[in-house]
Amino acid sequence: MTKAMDDGFGVFRRTATDEEVDAEQVLRNLECAKWKSWPNEGAFDALEKQYDSVHLTVKGSIPTWAAGTLFRTGPGQSAVENTSRGTHFVSHWFDGFAHTHRFDIIASRDGSSGISVVYSSRGQAEEYVAMVQKYGWRTGVSFGQKSDPCVGIFGKFMSMFLPQKLNNNVAVIRNMPGLESNNARQIGHRSEPDNMYITTDNSSLQKVDPRTLEPLGSAKQQQLHPKLKGPLSCAHAQRDPVTGDIFNFNVDLGIAATYRVFRVNAESGTTDILATISEQELPAAYIHSFFLTENYVILCVPSSHFGWNGLKILWERNLLDAIQPFDNTARCKWLVVDRRHGRGVVARFSTPASFFFHSVNAFEEKLKGDNGKEVTNIYLDQVEYVNTDIMYMLYYDILMNRNEEAVEDMEKHEKHRTTQPKLVRYKFALLALSQSCKGEYSLTAERVFAIPGPHAGEMPIINPSRAGKSHKYVYGVCSRGVGFWMDAIVKTNIETRDALIWSGPIGHTPGEPVFVPRPGSTDEDDGVILTIVLDGSAQTSYLLCLDAKSLEELGRAETNFPIPLGLHGIHTPICEEATRY
């Protein structure tokens, strides 16, 4: 990694020959605590204020074809004051109280005066905060809230019988079928989603008004189908880009976990169970995403197994403490589920023990085998970690280095080495049904490549037109080790392994990139990248628009207040007809 890329800002071009030296430089930067000079408190600190129709200052030129609405959601408020037990502090970033953001990117009617941007935001966990205010501790199951020793066993037991409130803060689904009509409605010159839901890693959904961001109540997957009664699910549902059908899975807990893979039909609103899997060798696990190809749903059960087959969650009252210590011998188990012909599980295989949050994409390749018969290869791309340490690095105390906790964690456990992501591709040859559908996982997938950070990053996205198809480019947020969490945007060419890395000035921390394609273009990287950047020194933020080809800045819309990094979002274009789903 060059000193300019370490200390300067701009766009830096790196090649495959730079991967090893750049990855080592990231570790050196972390070890010498270079990140202490990178202010990021505004990215994770408490956010309580809500905003309504704030006109942002636009600089540069945001293309008019990128007009639409960018929705973002994620953790906001991280402390509740004046509760019955004093100030309640949220322990883990993923448990920050949900806050949703809306950026309206508006082109002038005649196109002569460019783009204006209007921002609004709304908290989504007001009832949850009120419960904390009343009881002084969280009453539901959290992701990683540390136990309050003052509450004790009795308080923990009683919390199981208190009302459970939602704190969904991970991903946004628009036009969700099955729960209500999903026909888009026209409002003025804009096309709004008919409905919008916020998800997390359980089976409840938070309904939100897409215009006002007002929380409108909750729904459960069991409303889609009576068998979807398990408490766990996947925050990142997958959508068929052609039909709009929604795919997900539901996990019920017991002596043996039961996984139910399902599809919600966008046209009829009905739900079909595609596969029900309950096997002693398939434990309940924390799973944040999965894969969808033209013909299959592919579920990877990583090495993030819950104790007591998931029942430990009920005792610990959080997911993180219920996860067993990482076992290098516990291989990842994969299931390939037919989504076209009702054949259920058609293949099983395994890969070495690891963990991942995010799938990138998956696609099929059909070839003629040596015997003249057609062979199907499935390619699966994900952002992979060597173990589950990354989840334990995301406590607020570590992210913000309170009481030198980040330094202590690195020195004692060297987690900076185990929490570096790699962009990994697996290839699996789908055999005949009789050969690949046995109950064991003896078949294995081939690892095609593994690209380390900072040449690859987290929160991965591709051009949405390539979903379920082969792709060339992946965008994400990466770490050069100069910020403690992510500090740059990376564009990875998986064919050449070249990388473009955008870095802002010191303390400018970007969030998840969102790809907006140029209408009508066939070039995979012809579009713009939208991301929210925090200026940690000024405690302000801006919506940044980058050229997706070069990562050069085109324009920005500035606030005079900080916006937390958040987790995930979607862009809704004004013209929805071609991109309805």
Side-chain angles (χ1 to χ4, degrees), residues 475-488:
Y475 300 82
V477 285
C478 69
S479 171
R480 297 163 296 143
V482 295
F484 185 75
W485 178 228
M486 301 298 176
D487 53 45

Side-chain angles (χ1 to χ4, degrees), residues 70-107:
L70 175 67
F71 293 100
R72 298 280 302 155
T73 200
Q77 183 179 350
S78 61
V80 182
E81 297 180 351
N82 301 318
T83 78
S84 59
R85 294 175 175 270
T87 300
H88 171 86
F89 293 99
V90 178
S91 303
H92 198 280
W93 184 33
F94 290 177
D95 286 325
F97 295 111
H99 209 99
T100 304
H101 312 265
R102 173 174 174 146
F103 294 82
D104 287 317
I105 305 168
I106 306 167

Side-chain angles (χ1 to χ4, degrees), residues 194-213:
D194 184 56
N195 64 59
M196 192 167 82
Y197 287 86
I198 309 297
T199 63
T200 188
D201 297 305
N202 62 47
S203 57
S204 296
L205 301 91
Q206 169 73 59
K207 187 178 181 182
V208 176
D209 186 304
R211 285 178 293 168
T212 66
L213 303 182

Side-chain angles (χ1 to χ4, degrees), residues 54 61 75 159 182 229 275 327 426 516 520 531 547 557 577:
V54 178
S61 178
S159 71
N182 68 316
K229 56 184 173 44
D327 181 356
Y426 289 106
V516 181
T531 184
D547 185 305
E577 292 307 313

Side-chain angles (χ1 to χ4, degrees), residues 1 20 37 49 196 200 211 232 254 258 265 302 338 340 362 379 396 411 420 434 446 458 473 503 541 547 574:
M1 190 185 301
E20 185 176 349
S37 301
K49 190 171 182 179
M196 192 167 82
T200 188
R211 285 178 293 168
L232 301 180
T258 300
N265 189 295
D338 172 42
R340 298 289 185 185
Y379 294 90
Y396 279 113
E411 290 178 349
Q420 299 308 307
S434 60
E446 171 193 352
E458 256 294 1
Y473 301 108
S503 171
S541 295
D547 185 305
I574 286 180

Side-chain angles (χ1 to χ4, degrees), residues 71 73 98-100 122-127 165-183 185 192-200 202-221 223:
F71 293 100
T73 200
H99 209 99
T100 304
R122 178 69 187 260
Q124 301 298 330
E126 294 172 344
E127 292 184 350
K165 302 299 181 181
L166 291 188
N167 184 37
N168 289 18
N169 62 8
V170 177
V172 182
I173 300 179
R174 59 173 178 158
N175 296 335
M176 173 70 192
L179 298 173
E180 53 194 293
S181 169
N182 68 316
N183 295 321
R185 63 179 184 270
E192 294 282 354
D194 184 56
N195 64 59
M196 192 167 82
Y197 287 86
I198 309 297
T199 63
T200 188
N202 62 47
S203 57
S204 296
L205 301 91
Q206 169 73 59
K207 187 178 181 182
V208 176
D209 186 304
R211 285 178 293 168
T212 66
L213 303 182
E214 178 186 2
L216 299 177
S218 63
K220 289 186 174 296
Q221 288 179 351
Q223 294 172 232

Side-chain angles (χ1 to χ4, degrees), residues 238-259:
Q238 294 271 8
R239 190 188 297 268
D240 186 304
V242 177
T243 66
D245 294 351
I246 288 284
F247 295 81
N248 208 334
F249 62 87
N250 177 276
V251 186
D252 204 0
L253 307 177
I255 296 176
T258 300
Y259 290 82

